[in-house]
Amino acid sequence: MSFTTRLVEVRTKILKENDVAARRLRQRFAEQGRTVISLVSSPGAGKTRLLEETVRRLATRYRVAVVVGDLATDNDAERLAGTGVLVKQITTGTVCHLEAEMVSKAIDSWSEIALDFLFLENVGNLVCPAGYDLGENLRIVAFSVTEGEDKPLKYPTIFNTADAVVLTKMDLCEATEFDEPEARRSIRQVRPGMRVMKVSAKTGEGMADWTAWLEKSREFDKPSSLDVGKSQGT
Amino acid sequence: MHELSIAIKVLEIAKRGMVRQAGMELVAIHLQIGPLAGVVVESLQSAYEIARLQSSFPDAELRIEQTELTIDCPRCRSVQPVVAVNDLHCRRCGELSGKIVGGRELDIISLEVMPCPSRHA
C-alpha cells in the first residue's frame, strides 16, 4: 500500500484543561481578594509543621484557610485543624499531585466565606506537581536541611516553577552539617534570583520574616519574580 | 509518575482532533516536550504503549520531539541554549539568566493521518 501520510496541525497544550481551570481559579481568587500560596516539597520536608506555625501566626490578623493534598489519610488536615483555621483535605488516591479542578471542588463550599490567605499544601512530591498550575499567586518550595544541598540540581523543574524557597528545620542545621552556601548555589544555578528564606517552625527562627514576606505579597497583584515562573500562557 | 494520565490525555485530544478527519486513519501523534515539562519522556512512551491498546487508536505511534532549554541571554542579547537543565548558564558565553524562553513545552503539535485503507482498498 502506498498511501502517503499528511500532518494535521493541532498545537494544543496537553494540560490545557488544567491551565484553563487554573486561570479561572486565579481570576476568582483575585476577585475575592484571596492571596493563595501553594507549598510543594519532597515527603517529610516539614510542610505541615511549617503551615501549622504559619497559619497560627497569620490567623491573629487574617482570615486563613488551608487545603491539604495527600495520597491517603487525613492526618495532616487533623493537625492543621488544631490551629483553629478552616481546613479541607483532598485525598488524591493514586494521583501524585493536586490539579486545579480538585482545588476548585474542594473549596466550592467556601465561596461565600471571606478569606485573606488560602494555603494549598500539595502532595509530597518534587516531580509531578511541577506541571500543574493551581491558580496560586505564589508557589513555595519547602527544602529541609535534612535533605542534600544538591536537591535543586536533582529536581530543577519544581524549583524552576516556584517563586521562593523556604529552608526548613534550620534548628537541625548543625546536626546535619547543612552547607547553606552550597544549597544557595544550587538554587541559584537552577533559578537565578529566587528568594530564599530560612525558618525553624520548632524554634520560631525566621518565622517572623517569612510571615512578613507573605503579608507583603498581598500588596502586589503579581510579584515580579513570577514573570520567570510557571507558564501562564494559553 | 503521572505519565499514564498524560498518555490518556494525549489520546483524548487526538480523538477530538480526529472527529474532523473523516475517512482518515491516525498513524502517529507528534508531541513536543521540554526538559522543564515535568515529564519523563521514556515513561510517557511506555505509558502510551499501554494506553493506546485501550483507545480508539491502538495502531497510532507516539513521536516525541524533545525541545531544548533556552534562555534570553542578556550578554549575547539573543536566545541561547543553556549548559544543562540544572545549570542555566548560557552555553555560548557562560552568563547566568533566569529568563527562560523554551523548555516548558508539553504540547501536541500534529496528528499524522492517512486515508483509511478499508475504505480505499
Side-chain angles (χ1 to χ4, degrees):
Chain A
M1 224 166 353
S2 63
F3 288 123
T4 50
T5 64
R6 70 183 171 83
L7 293 175
V8 180
E9 191 161 313
V10 183
R11 290 213 178 263
T12 308
K13 285 182 183 294
I14 296 168
L15 299 181
K16 191 177 176 188
E17 284 165 29
N18 186 75
D19 288 349
V20 170
R23 216 166 24 236
R24 253 198 317 263
L25 272 179
R26 185 168 285 115
Q27 196 182 341
R28 212 195 312 158
F29 292 149
E31 288 161 4
Q32 294 167 322
R34 295 178 178 179
T35 300
V36 182
I37 317 282
S38 79
L39 208 53
V40 290
S41 80
S42 53
K47 285 188 299 301
T48 308
R49 187 77 174 88
L50 172 64
L51 270 181
E52 278 179 289
E53 270 316 298
T54 305
V55 302
R56 205 168 263 140
R57 283 158 193 261
L58 288 175
T60 58
R61 277 158 298 148
Y62 297 96
R63 294 158 296 189
V64 183
V66 185
V67 172
V68 196
D70 274 302
L71 296 176
T73 83
D74 55 4
N75 296 346
D76 288 0
E78 254 174 57
R79 279 171 61 189
L80 284 158
T83 62
V85 304
L86 283 173
V87 180
K88 269 269 159 64
Q89 173 84 47
I90 300 176
T91 309
T92 59
T94 56
V95 182
C96 47
H97 56 268
L98 288 180
E99 296 185 13
E101 201 53 51
M102 297 178 192
V103 173
S104 185
K105 278 200 192 108
I107 60 169
D108 201 35
S109 62
W110 291 349
S111 57
E112 300 304 316
I113 297 172
L115 289 173
D116 302 309
F117 282 103
L118 173 63
F119 289 91
L120 309 173
E121 181 183 335
N122 215 319
V123 178
N125 182 335
L126 279 180
V127 182
C128 308
Y132 294 85
D133 187 354
L134 302 178
E136 68 268 64
N137 300 96
L138 291 169
R139 181 181 289 185
I140 310 297
V141 186
F143 173 13
S144 74
V145 302
T146 57
E147 301 171 61
E149 292 84 354
D150 60 352
K151 210 66 182 265
L153 302 181
K154 290 178 178 166
Y155 300 92
T157 304
I158 194 83
F159 281 84
N160 215 285
T161 61
D163 302 292
V165 175
V166 175
L167 290 175
T168 59
K169 308 187 189 181
M170 284 303 290
D171 53 290
L172 296 176
C173 215
E174 244 171 75
T176 59
E177 297 181 342
F178 183 70
D179 186 343
E180 190 190 321
E182 181 62 33
R184 283 180 183 268
R185 258 195 303 280
S186 301
I187 294 166
R188 185 163 179 268
Q189 195 169 300
V190 299
R191 183 88 157 93
M194 176 144 75
R195 176 179 284 268
V196 180
M197 288 164 278
K198 303 190 284 183
V199 304
S200 164
K202 191 175 169 188
T203 66
E205 175 195 344
M207 286 301 296
D209 287 346
W210 153 241
T211 50
W213 182 76
L214 288 174
E215 288 177 64
K216 204 151 177 267
S217 74
R218 279 185 60 75
E219 293 166 22
F220 307 106
D221 273 353
K222 231 178 239 165
S224 58
S225 63
L226 263 186
D227 54 13
V228 286
K230 54 199 156 288
S231 82
Q232 290 171 9
T234 50
Chain B
M1 236 168 95
H2 59 296
E3 277 78 4
L4 184 58
S5 71
I6 289 179
I8 293 168
K9 202 136 270 174
V10 165
L11 285 155
E12 280 171 12
I13 296 170
K15 191 171 184 179
R16 283 204 295 272
M18 286 304 288
V19 170
R20 277 171 304 212
Q21 304 299 323
M24 302 299 259
E25 183 184 352
L26 182 62
V27 179
I29 306 170
H30 293 257
L31 308 187
Q32 243 178 21
I33 297 184
L36 289 180
V39 170
V40 181
V41 168
E42 293 74 20
S43 309
L44 177 59
Q45 195 76 56
S46 36
Y48 177 83
E49 294 309 316
I50 299 161
R52 71 168 169 173
L53 299 176
Q54 311 281 322
S55 78
S56 316
F57 315 109
D59 298 320
E61 305 276 336
L62 189 65
R63 307 249 161 84
I64 301 173
E65 180 201 342
Q66 291 180 261
T67 59
E68 247 187 337
L69 179 47
T70 54
I71 51 159
D72 185 359
C73 176
R75 196 189 287 168
C76 298
R77 295 189 178 190
S78 56
V79 175
Q80 295 291 338
V82 296
V83 174
V85 174
N86 58 13
D87 186 352
L88 300 190
H89 286 91
C90 172
R91 201 184 293 164
R92 182 158 170 252
C93 75
E95 181 84 357
L96 186 63
S97 167
K99 286 190 183 151
I100 291 171
V101 178
R104 301 186 196 280
E105 300 80 10
L106 182 54
D107 304 332
I108 296 194
I109 300 302
S110 59
L111 302 176
E112 190 174 342
V113 298
M114 70 172 191
C116 253
S118 56
R119 296 192 185 197
H120 296 265

